[in-house]
């Protein structure tokens, strides 16, 4: 796995992986133009989409509806050293009402590479 990062000036960067490109920037109050997500936001995106992948796969293999699956990831800033902490992942799967499937989906989500990292 590999990504290439190019500095585009000021506090703006371009990340390239397998031909896909995303922009990383900072909000104006941190010297940026707000033309992309910040690095911590990308971390939350990586966690949420990875967990979502495993949840969707669980639902798909059991022929359950994943159409309204949604994931919200939040984290708090912590200090000394500066970092993100207190991660919270909220998964909404309206079609999953059986507690057995809810528990199975949660087990599947814990297999996420980013979550385990």
């Amino acid at each position: 796995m590999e990504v290439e990062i190019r500095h585009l000036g000021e506090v703006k960067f371009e990340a390239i992986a397998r031909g896909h490109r995303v922009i990383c920037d900072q909000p104006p109050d941190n010297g940026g133009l707000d033309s992309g997500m910040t690095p911590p936001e990308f971390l939350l995106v990586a966690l949420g989409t990875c967990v979502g992948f495993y949840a969707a796969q669980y639902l798909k293999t059991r022929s359950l509806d994943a159409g309204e699956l949604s994931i919200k990831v939040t984290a708090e800033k912590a200090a000394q050293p500066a970092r993100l902490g207190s991660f919270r992942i909220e998964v909404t799967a309206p079609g999953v009402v059986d507690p057995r499937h809810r528990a199975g989906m949660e087990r599947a989500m814990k297999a996420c590479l980013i979550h385990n990292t």
Side-chain angles (χ1 to χ4, degrees), residues 1-81:
M1 199 175 306
E2 178 178 287
V3 298
E4 179 184 339
I5 312 298
R6 292 185 3 196
H7 184 235
L8 300 178
E10 301 299 325
V11 294
K12 187 174 180 178
F13 293 85
E14 175 184 47
I16 305 160
R18 300 178 300 104
H20 302 284
R21 300 170 186 274
V22 294
I23 299 297
C24 181
D25 199 1
Q26 296 289 321
D29 63 350
N30 206 24
L33 298 173
D34 204 20
S35 62
M37 287 187 265
T38 65
E41 290 167 334
F42 275 122
L43 179 63
L44 299 183
V45 166
L47 178 57
T49 55
C50 187
V51 163
F53 169 80
Y54 283 91
Q57 287 300 104
Y58 175 89
L59 296 172
K60 179 182 174 185
T61 60
R62 284 149 187 87
S63 300
L64 297 170
D65 183 23
E68 302 224 5
L69 178 67
S70 66
I71 298 94
K72 179 179 178 182
V73 182
T74 57
E76 300 295 325
K77 287 185 179 180
Q80 298 178 344

